[in-house]
Amino acid sequence: GAVVSQHPSWVICKSGTSVKIECRSLDFQATTMFWYRQFPKQSLMLMATSNEGSKATYEQGVEKDKFLINHASLTLSTLTVTSAHPEDSSFYICSARGTSGTWRFGPGTRLTVL
Amino acid sequence: GQQVMQIPQYQHVQEGEDFTTYCNSSTTLSNIQWYKQRPGGHPVFLIQLVKSGEVKKQKRLTFQFGEAKKNSSLHITATQTTDVGTYFCAVQNSGGSNYKLTFGKGTLLTVNP
């Protein structure tokens, strides 16, 4: 149980376009979801905390106007990378905290901006 | 938020050798989690330690939480090629209601068959 899915698993886009990534908790309700970014050979860096029905809380240094987060329901959060540039190329991973207190991570979305 | 130092950054072993990665914090932790990330994959939850001095085992993996709850270790006995990956510790910031999870830098384990 406690499965988190992400879509798409990978995406290649042109510089200047926007990309939307979906994160779904498949068999549990997640009032809070988290978005991480991981560059090659580095650790996961928390970008923002997404709360259902309210505005996301962004970590210091993360541009909220560039990384739009929407948490419209207890099972879905979306991250939109607006006007993507090559430096935004990264592995984006969402996670959800279940009621049992454990975290489940999505499989990640690999974004490549040309 | 919580900060945690993880060492070593890399570890290469021969198959059958043991492996240990360590995480240290300057502050007392409420709990600590361990994750494994295979190359190209996503982090997979291994275990959560909560109690002072706690020791938990999962087959060849032994997890320890220090008495002062400021350090933790993951030890793998007789490594196998399937153990290859990056092992992360993660600590929880329970300030407010968001329970943010902060990751250590990870230890990349490679195993020579």
Side-chain angles (χ1 to χ4, degrees):
Chain A
V3 176
V4 175
S5 71
Q6 268 185 255
H7 178 80
S9 55
W10 58 270
V11 57
I12 301 172
C13 69
K14 293 182 179 179
S15 184
T17 59
S18 294
V19 175
K20 179 185 282 189
I21 302 169
E22 293 185 350
C23 176
R24 294 181 184 272
S25 56
L26 298 184
D27 53 357
F28 68 102
Q29 294 183 335
T31 54
T32 305
M33 289 184 175
F34 304 85
W35 287 96
Y36 292 84
R37 179 168 53 182
Q38 185 178 35
F39 292 106
K41 298 184 179 181
Q42 294 188 23
S43 186
L44 284 77
M45 297 300 297
L46 181 64
M47 299 175 66
T49 302
S50 168
N51 295 295
E52 186 266 336
S54 64
K55 291 183 179 180
T57 303
Y58 290 82
E59 295 299 302
Q60 191 172 9
V62 178
E63 300 175 57
K64 62 180 181 180
D65 293 331
K66 181 169 183 62
F67 299 99
L68 300 179
I69 291 173
N70 182 273
H71 195 153
S73 75
L74 288 171
T75 59
L76 173 64
S77 176
T78 61
L79 166 67
T80 301
V81 183
T82 62
S83 186
H85 291 284
E87 57 266 29
D88 298 322
S89 299
S90 188
F91 192 42
Y92 292 87
I93 308 171
C94 71
S95 74
R97 184 176 182 273
T99 54
S100 63
T102 56
W103 274 259
R104 290 292 181 264
F105 282 78
T109 296
R110 200 163 297 280
L111 170 63
T112 302
V113 184
L114 303 176
Chain B
Q2 296 278 17
Q3 298 288 336
V4 62
M5 299 296 294
Q6 187 172 358
I7 56 171
Q9 191 174 0
Y10 306 98
Q11 184 80 61
H12 177 74
V13 300
Q14 287 292 126
E15 189 172 24
E17 292 181 339
D18 293 355
F19 160 76
T20 306
T21 174
Y22 303 88
C23 278
N24 296 288
S25 171
S26 59
T27 59
T28 302
L29 304 169
S30 57
N31 60 67
I32 192 164
Q33 300 180 18
W34 285 94
Y35 291 80
K36 177 183 180 181
Q37 185 176 24
R38 294 180 185 273
H42 64 281
V44 174
F45 175 80
L46 294 177
I47 209 160
Q48 176 170 280
L49 304 174
V50 179
K51 299 178 182 178
S52 168
E54 189 169 19
V55 178
K56 287 188 176 180
K57 291 191 176 184
Q58 291 179 353
K59 297 183 180 179
R60 293 178 295 104
L61 277 61
T62 302
F63 304 85
Q64 293 190 352
F65 202 9
E67 293 289 343
K69 298 181 71 172
K70 290 185 177 181
N71 57 75
S72 180
S73 65
L74 158 59
H75 179 82
I76 302 178
T77 304
T79 55
Q80 300 175 358
T81 54
T82 53
D83 295 325
V84 165
T86 302
Y87 293 84
F88 293 98
C89 62
V91 297
Q92 176 183 323
N93 177 358
S94 59
S97 60
N98 283 332
Y99 297 95
K100 294 191 297 184
L101 205 57
T102 301
F103 283 77
K105 291 190 180 296
T107 297
L108 172 61
L109 171 65
T110 54
V111 180
N112 197 29

